[in-house]
Amino acid sequence: MFEAAELGHKLSKAAYHKIEPALRADLLDAQFDLSKNGTFPVLVLISGVRGAGKGETVNLLNEWMDPRHIHTYAFDKPTDEERERPPMWRYWRAFPPKGRIGILFGSWYTSPITDLVFKRIKQRDLAQAEDEILRMEKMLADEGVLILKFWFHLSKRAQRKRLKALEADPETRWRVTRRDWTFFAKYDRFYRISEEVVRATSTAHAPWIVVEGEDPEYRSVTVGKTLLEAMRKRLDQKPERRARRSTAPPIVEPVDHVHLLDRLDLTLSLSKARYENELETLQRKLALLTRHKRFARHSVVCVFEGMDAAGKGGAIRRVTAALDARLYHTVPVAAPTDEERAQPYLWRFWRQLPRLGRFGIFDRSWYGRLLVERIEGFCSVADWMRAYGEINDFEEQLARHGVIVAKFWLQITAAEQLKRFKARERTRFKRFKITPEDWRNRKRWDAYQVAAADMIERTSTAHAPWTLIEANDKYYARAKVLRSLVEGIESIL
Amino acid sequence: MFEAAELGHKLSKAAYHKIEPALRADLLDAQFDLSKNGTFPVLVLISGVRGAGKGETVNLLNEWMDPRHIHTYAFDKPTDEERERPPMWRYWRAFPPKGRIGILFGSWYTSPITDLVFKRIKQRDLAQAEDEILRMEKMLADEGVLILKFWFHLSKRAQRKRLKALEADPETRWRVTRRDWTFFAKYDRFYRISEEVVRATSTAHAPWIVVEGEDPEYRSVTVGKTLLEAMRKRLDQKPERRARRSTAPPIVEPVDHVHLLDRLDLTLSLSKARYENELETLQRKLALLTRHKRFARHSVVCVFEGMDAAGKGGAIRRVTAALDARLYHTVPVAAPTDEERAQPYLWRFWRQLPRLGRFGIFDRSWYGRLLVERIEGFCSVADWMRAYGEINDFEEQLARHGVIVAKFWLQITAAEQLKRFKARERTRFKRFKITPEDWRNRKRWDAYQVAAADMIERTSTAHAPWTLIEANDKYYARAKVLRSLVEGIESIL
């Protein structure tokens, strides 16, 4: 993989000066078209060895193009806000919106590689990291992100020469740190490991471009041309092309039409007296758990899904009533804002992840993709088909970071929904007024039931199981939600 | 001020249970109307002494209303991301959008009061803090934010009793910390200082409501009713009412029509050779300054303003070319996103403030309010009239935190603009294609000149001066921008 980047590639200054003006103009034009087009972002990852011209190249890209539309992020030590979320959170924060170029200096590759070089992790951890990265980049690509990954390489001899040269010049001496030499001492190990990673994670939708870093003219033109061609190719693509990629087979309905949800006993109920008793006990338990000293090392993400009027709001209020208002935030999921629409669909949920010791309570969630978006055709079949795996990956990242993921599906019968709709029409509470949309959704009851059953089956995992809530009786439902949440937290602390 | 909150106010449980259901229903309705109305946010500040039921009341508000539309924030120790910005940054992050209720637990009052109680600041520092707070709250109120500030009070006797009671109960013992008793030891001083602050900062648009905290029923109903009445009153206001408040006198034009900008010598120029020489020297100086060890304690905010085609983009590129791409981000200011429109106009700029050691470069800025918004009538006369002071306050906060604020007005003649427009029409660079809007703005040249002269006069301050750039000659302009920036940074380090 890296041999071709030790051939001593060169471009003469004369050739460079001939190529540069047109390349620059073309890049600017492509950047302008990207912005006008506004349907996809460009994500450029910059990795490789020290002294191979990474910084210089990024600066040059900012010089060649309009720096006002390039977002460059360098990832140094994570801030404390970043440390309190899963490791990928800091990268999600930095993703460019559609129409923009984002350059990430350092990325999700940095830790796995250096951790293995310095033996902080094992080979099998690296394999797992690669696997996760592959899935995440696939998701980003499927979301329309144009991904380019540049690996800047130097031969051992060239790197030593470069570091020595930087040290010799009083102007650049500051750039070489002890850390650079520590890395250099591990050159061979670093070479072997990073080559393996680059090989394992180079895909059609997120290719690595290995660039020989010794000659500034060569590396600059290589990066510039690669970026230009990739942008141009995507810009020239007809929009239909992408839609037609949706070739995943649709899910087959069980031929006997029996779903998971049909098996629930919706007659389960609780007397008012028993409910009040249980509610008090459970809320008290929950409140105590949040003050447990180990709780400060975790956070809780609650997801509430269910048909309209299934009692999500009521259940959420019974949970929050047990919590100090300073410890939770609730996220009512409605139409995305325009900033959210300019990002992959999971972005709006990543941004709402709670800090350690806190609750993030989602009233509807990322599962919208598998429910309303699927049913209403807001996304293609391929889009929601891939969402099962993407969501499992997302929740696994949460769980691995110590986030307790508690997901509740509140199930009611169609008859019970009708009863509640009618009751709402009579209520004095404006917030309960039902809308034409509620009636419209009700007509699609069966389709939603099929989609929900699919969703629950495919996304109930060991690290983030669904809890099905028999919700025809509100007392029973609320008590079960609380009990399940309490048990979920207890099992982790 | 606090005497009335030591009268032993009480509400019987019976009276409470009679009032509560209707109050609750009315609050829910008001919250629903607020959300539908969507034209203003409600900001509730919760302050006062420990043990006076602040937490309980906030939890109750979240129980009474729909917690999904309330944002509750508690301000504990600032995170490192917060410490790297001016102190108000963390509150700006927490402001609720229009249509929502935001509850801030702890606020901009916390530090000034406790700092003076424990003698970390002087009396005159408190006076200054009060002054700044008054101006900021006025700005928020003018931006339409409904502000309610609750002060929870307990007499000395009642506070001691309450802390003892909490300590005696094994269930609540954890809530009383040594810090609480440290505070209690300073009760009298705390009383005197906070009473003074409450008196000095209670205004018609942001009143303090002092609540006696001893009786839970009394304090809950007091807060609930106050919040309800304030929301209801604002909701029932006709929108015209607010617009009619705009009674500030318009600015009078100088009768001889001579402006600041007319005095600039726009024939100033630089030969290409001298320019290239200067550019190299200045860019090198700038690059070195960013590596100065004291620079890590500062950040730089650059503002570029000027008529279309004045050369803002070109000047910005000469600055960024000297910087490592990891150290700056540029913010091209265009139409606000919907998340930004739901906030006070300065919010979108606060969120872009750079961390320490970094540059934030604004291509157009908050000065839009005094230029395009004034000229095009996007805001009322009163709105842009108050912006002079608001912007000065904002920049003073930046400067006080060690931010170097460098503001450039690039001045060209109308004839030069025409020449550049025509040249742009012939260029092959798409990004330079001029739009009908550019021609439209050009027709308003004189109005923009008057507005710009006003703006520069009124917002050129010791902590954030404007630098006027004679920009008919691009070489001269770029060199002057760089020189001024270098000198500005040198003067602070």
Side-chain angles (χ1 to χ4, degrees):
Chain A
M1 202 87 196
F2 292 160
E3 294 84 350
E6 298 191 355
L7 296 174
H9 286 294
K10 255 188 185 353
L11 193 68
S12 72
K13 288 221 187 323
Y16 178 79
H17 287 299
K18 238 177 104 173
I19 297 169
E20 195 248 10
L23 177 58
R24 198 173 173 151
D26 288 344
L27 275 167
L28 261 175
D29 274 354
Q31 193 189 11
F32 179 85
D33 288 341
L34 173 71
S35 166
K36 284 283 134 183
N37 170 298
T39 60
F40 67 95
V42 180
L43 186 62
V44 179
L45 267 49
I46 303 288
S47 304
V49 306
R50 278 300 307 245
K54 289 181 290 188
E56 289 87 340
T57 308
V58 171
N59 290 341
L60 192 68
L61 288 176
N62 271 281
E63 224 180 293
W64 278 351
M65 290 185 282
D66 191 333
R68 293 171 298 179
H69 301 297
I70 301 180
H71 305 246
T72 304
Y73 290 91
F75 297 94
D76 201 358
K77 224 165 38 115
T79 67
D80 48 17
E81 295 187 28
E82 289 169 343
R83 271 191 304 271
E84 295 195 13
R85 272 88 170 194
M88 280 302 298
W89 191 74
R90 60 193 319 224
Y91 303 111
W92 279 87
R93 292 177 98 181
F95 284 161
K98 289 172 184 168
R100 294 284 177 271
I101 299 172
I103 300 181
L104 307 194
F105 234 107
S107 65
W108 40 88
Y109 287 99
T110 316
S111 285
I113 292 176
T114 55
D115 284 353
L116 186 58
V117 168
F118 292 100
K119 300 190 179 166
R120 290 187 292 256
I121 61 169
K122 299 244 188 298
Q123 185 71 37
R124 63 168 178 277
D125 299 319
L126 181 70
Q128 196 195 334
E130 283 170 359
D131 195 42
E132 285 165 19
I133 287 172
L134 284 172
R135 289 203 304 276
M136 192 196 55
E137 290 179 353
K138 175 77 166 66
M139 178 269 292
L140 292 177
D142 283 337
E143 285 289 295
V145 182
L146 176 61
I147 309 172
L148 289 170
K149 305 184 292 194
F150 290 101
W151 186 274
F152 286 70
H153 181 73
L154 283 180
S155 68
K156 193 169 187 177
R157 181 201 50 77
Q159 194 183 14
R160 185 191 290 114
K161 203 176 111 192
R162 174 77 174 143
L163 291 175
K164 292 268 180 205
L166 285 170
E167 269 188 338
D169 184 344
E171 287 266 313
T172 55
R173 188 175 299 150
W174 62 276
R175 290 179 52 187
V176 184
T177 63
R178 198 181 309 163
R179 200 174 141 82
D180 291 320
W181 288 113
T182 313
F183 266 78
F184 183 74
K186 302 265 180 197
Y187 183 93
D188 295 331
R189 188 168 165 78
F190 185 80
Y191 181 105
R192 190 180 56 70
I193 292 169
S194 45
E195 189 181 44
E196 183 204 308
V197 171
V198 165
R199 201 177 328 107
T201 57
S202 206
T203 56
H205 52 264
W208 277 106
I209 302 101
V210 179
V211 182
E212 183 166 350
E214 206 172 351
D215 181 65
E217 284 75 24
Y218 172 80
R219 72 176 180 235
S220 307
V221 171
T222 302
V223 172
K225 266 187 176 299
T226 310
L227 179 58
L228 173 64
E229 275 167 31
M231 285 169 67
R232 198 35 80 195
K233 197 174 143 205
R234 171 65 81 82
L235 285 165
D236 294 343
Q237 236 173 59
K238 300 229 167 49
E240 299 84 66
R241 264 300 290 288
R242 296 209 54 242
R244 245 188 288 134
R245 276 201 335 226
S246 317
T247 50
I251 291 175
V252 180
E253 257 231 76
V255 287
D256 61 357
H257 299 289
V258 174
H259 296 291
L260 199 65
L261 298 172
D262 300 329
R263 295 288 190 224
L264 291 176
D265 178 3
L266 297 185
T267 65
L268 288 169
S269 69
L270 217 54
S271 71
K272 190 168 184 205
R274 273 200 56 197
Y275 165 67
E276 282 173 354
N277 204 345
E278 280 214 33
L279 186 69
E280 203 191 314
T281 314
L282 289 166
Q283 286 183 334
R284 188 195 184 96
K285 269 195 188 170
L286 183 55
L288 278 170
L289 283 173
T290 64
R291 299 203 292 273
H292 195 294
K293 72 174 189 299
R294 276 201 296 279
F295 185 72
R297 298 207 298 261
H298 295 275
S299 58
V300 180
V301 164
C302 297
V303 168
F304 287 85
E305 293 283 356
M307 301 297 288
D308 296 323
K312 297 185 291 294
I316 288 173
R317 273 195 300 282
R318 279 15 173 237
V319 172
T320 58
L323 303 175
D324 190 301
R326 288 163 280 199
L327 292 189
Y328 69 85
H329 67 274
T330 42
V331 184
V333 174
T337 67
D338 47 16
E339 292 180 39
E340 291 169 341
R341 263 190 299 268
Q343 295 280 358
Y345 75 101
L346 286 172
W347 187 83
R348 56 194 296 224
F349 307 107
W350 272 96
R351 75 193 294 213
Q352 297 280 9
L353 292 182
R355 300 181 57 178
L356 293 181
R358 316 270 175 112
F359 285 68
I361 298 171
F362 291 83
D363 182 4
R364 302 199 191 274
S365 67
W366 42 96
Y367 285 100
R369 184 147 268 222
L370 297 171
L371 297 168
V372 57
E373 291 188 50
R374 168 181 173 177
I375 304 293
E376 305 292 338
F378 295 158
C379 64
S380 72
V381 174
D383 284 338
W384 61 258
M385 282 290 298
R386 65 181 162 83
Y388 296 105
E390 290 164 356
I391 286 174
N392 287 338
D393 289 345
F394 168 47
E395 292 174 354
E396 197 182 334
Q397 288 187 59
L398 297 180
R400 196 131 22 85
H401 192 66
V403 182
I404 298 157
V405 185
K407 307 185 293 192
F408 302 102
W409 174 265
L410 276 66
Q411 178 70 8
I412 51 173
T413 56
E416 178 63 25
Q417 189 191 46
L418 185 62
K419 209 174 98 192
R420 292 186 187 178
F421 275 12
K422 293 202 163 156
R424 286 186 177 188
E425 286 184 324
R426 290 189 303 268
T427 178
R428 57 158 295 205
F429 294 114
K430 289 182 193 174
R431 76 193 154 105
F432 274 139
K433 285 285 170 275
I434 66 169
T435 63
E437 205 192 319
D438 293 326
W439 289 108
R440 240 189 343 265
N441 290 341
R442 185 173 156 76
K443 287 204 181 127
R444 306 244 193 173
W445 181 275
D446 291 340
Y448 272 102
Q449 291 296 305
V450 171
D454 262 355
M455 170 188 93
I456 290 162
E457 257 182 52
R458 289 163 195 271
T459 60
S460 216
T461 55
H463 50 263
W466 277 100
T467 304
L468 302 182
I469 305 291
E470 298 82 351
N472 262 18
D473 180 72
K474 286 182 181 179
Y475 294 155
Y476 181 86
R478 291 168 188 171
K480 185 167 178 187
V481 164
L482 271 163
R483 195 177 322 111
S484 159
L485 185 57
V486 163
E487 288 169 0
I489 300 175
E490 275 173 343
S491 75
I492 294 244
L493 295 189
Chain B
M1 201 87 196
F2 293 160
E3 294 83 350
E6 298 191 355
L7 296 175
H9 286 293
K10 258 190 182 353
L11 194 69
S12 71
K13 287 222 188 320
Y16 178 80
H17 288 299
K18 238 178 106 176
I19 296 170
E20 195 249 8
L23 177 57
R24 199 173 171 151
D26 289 344
L27 275 168
L28 261 174
D29 273 355
Q31 192 188 14
F32 180 84
D33 288 340
L34 173 72
S35 165
K36 284 282 135 183
N37 170 298
T39 61
F40 67 95
V42 180
L43 187 63
V44 179
L45 267 48
I46 303 288
S47 304
V49 307
R50 276 301 307 244
K54 289 180 291 187
E56 289 86 340
T57 309
V58 171
N59 289 342
L60 192 67
L61 288 177
N62 272 281
E63 223 180 293
W64 278 350
M65 290 185 282
D66 190 333
R68 293 171 298 179
H69 300 298
I70 300 180
H71 305 246
T72 304
Y73 290 91
F75 297 94
D76 201 358
K77 226 165 37 110
T79 67
D80 49 15
E81 295 187 29
E82 289 170 343
R83 272 192 303 273
E84 295 196 13
R85 271 87 170 197
M88 281 302 299
W89 191 75
R90 60 195 316 225
Y91 303 110
W92 278 88
R93 292 177 97 182
F95 284 160
K98 289 172 184 168
R100 294 285 177 270
I101 299 173
I103 299 181
L104 307 194
F105 233 108
S107 65
W108 41 88
Y109 288 100
T110 316
S111 285
I113 292 176
T114 55
D115 284 352
L116 186 58
V117 167
F118 292 100
K119 300 191 179 167
R120 289 187 292 257
I121 61 169
K122 299 242 187 299
Q123 185 71 36
R124 63 168 179 278
D125 299 319
L126 181 68
Q128 196 196 331
E130 284 170 358
D131 195 43
E132 286 166 17
I133 286 172
L134 284 173
R135 288 203 304 277
M136 193 197 57
E137 290 179 353
K138 175 77 166 67
M139 180 270 294
L140 292 177
D142 283 336
E143 285 290 297
V145 181
L146 176 60
I147 309 171
L148 289 170
K149 305 183 293 193
F150 290 101
W151 186 274
F152 286 70
H153 181 73
L154 284 180
S155 70
K156 194 168 185 175
R157 180 201 51 75
Q159 195 182 14
R160 184 191 293 113
K161 203 176 109 192
R162 173 77 174 141
L163 291 175
K164 292 267 182 208
L166 285 171
E167 270 188 339
D169 183 345
E171 286 266 314
T172 56
R173 190 175 298 149
W174 62 277
R175 289 180 54 188
V176 183
T177 62
R178 198 182 310 164
R179 198 175 143 84
D180 290 318
W181 288 112
T182 313
F183 265 78
F184 183 74
K186 303 267 178 196
Y187 183 94
D188 296 329
R189 190 170 163 78
F190 186 80
Y191 182 105
R192 191 181 55 70
I193 292 168
S194 45
E195 188 180 45
E196 183 204 307
V197 171
V198 166
R199 201 177 329 107
T201 56
S202 205
T203 57
H205 52 265
W208 276 106
I209 302 100
V210 179
V211 183
E212 183 167 349
E214 207 172 349
D215 182 64
E217 285 75 24
Y218 172 81
R219 71 174 181 236
S220 306
V221 171
T222 303
V223 172
K225 266 189 176 299
T226 310
L227 179 59
L228 174 64
E229 275 167 31
M231 283 169 69
R232 198 36 78 197
K233 197 173 143 207
R234 171 65 80 83
L235 285 165
D236 294 342
Q237 236 173 58
K238 300 227 165 54
E240 297 83 67
R241 265 299 292 285
R242 297 211 55 242
R244 246 188 288 135
R245 277 201 334 225
S246 318
T247 51
I251 290 175
V252 180
E253 254 230 78
V255 287
D256 61 356
H257 299 290
V258 174
H259 296 291
L260 201 67
L261 297 172
D262 299 330
R263 296 288 191 220
L264 292 176
D265 178 3
L266 298 185
T267 65
L268 287 169
S269 71
L270 216 55
S271 70
K272 189 170 185 202
R274 273 201 55 195
Y275 164 67
E276 283 174 352
N277 205 344
E278 280 215 34
L279 186 69
E280 203 190 315
T281 314
L282 289 166
Q283 286 183 334
R284 188 194 183 99
K285 268 194 188 169
L286 182 55
L288 277 170
L289 282 172
T290 63
R291 299 203 293 270
H292 195 294
K293 72 174 189 297
R294 277 201 296 277
F295 184 72
R297 298 207 297 261
H298 295 275
S299 59
V300 180
V301 164
C302 296
V303 168
F304 287 84
E305 292 282 356
M307 302 296 289
D308 295 324
K312 297 185 291 294
I316 288 173
R317 274 195 300 282
R318 272 34 175 222
V319 171
T320 57
L323 303 175
D324 190 300
R326 288 164 279 199
L327 292 188
Y328 69 85
H329 67 275
T330 42
V331 184
V333 174
T337 67
D338 47 15
E339 292 181 39
E340 291 170 341
R341 263 190 298 269
Q343 295 281 357
Y345 74 101
L346 285 172
W347 188 83
R348 58 195 295 224
F349 307 107
W350 271 96
R351 75 194 293 215
Q352 297 281 8
L353 291 182
R355 302 182 57 177
L356 293 181
R358 317 269 175 113
F359 285 68
I361 298 171
F362 291 83
D363 182 4
R364 303 198 191 274
S365 67
W366 42 96
Y367 285 100
R369 184 146 267 220
L370 297 171
L371 297 167
V372 58
E373 292 188 49
R374 168 182 174 177
I375 304 293
E376 306 292 340
F378 295 158
C379 65
S380 72
V381 174
D383 285 337
W384 60 258
M385 281 290 298
R386 64 182 162 83
Y388 296 106
E390 291 164 355
I391 286 174
N392 286 338
D393 288 345
F394 168 46
E395 292 174 354
E396 198 182 333
Q397 289 188 57
L398 297 180
R400 197 131 21 85
H401 192 66
V403 182
I404 298 157
V405 184
K407 306 185 294 192
F408 302 101
W409 174 266
L410 276 66
Q411 177 69 7
I412 52 172
T413 57
E416 179 63 25
Q417 189 193 47
L418 185 62
K419 210 175 99 191
R420 292 186 188 178
F421 275 14
K422 293 205 160 153
R424 284 185 178 188
E425 287 186 323
R426 290 188 305 269
T427 179
R428 57 159 293 206
F429 292 115
K430 291 182 194 175
R431 77 192 154 109
F432 274 140
K433 285 284 171 273
I434 67 170
T435 64
E437 205 191 320
D438 293 326
W439 289 108
R440 237 185 349 263
N441 289 342
R442 184 174 157 74
K443 285 204 183 125
R444 306 243 194 174
W445 182 275
D446 291 341
Y448 272 102
Q449 292 294 302
V450 171
D454 262 355
M455 168 189 95
I456 290 162
E457 257 182 54
R458 288 163 194 273
T459 60
S460 216
T461 55
H463 50 262
W466 277 100
T467 304
L468 302 182
I469 304 291
E470 299 84 351
N472 261 18
D473 180 72
K474 287 182 178 177
Y475 294 155
Y476 181 86
R478 292 168 187 171
K480 186 169 175 183
V481 164
L482 271 162
R483 197 177 320 112
S484 159
L485 184 58
V486 163
E487 287 169 2
I489 300 175
E490 275 173 344
S491 75
I492 294 242
L493 294 189

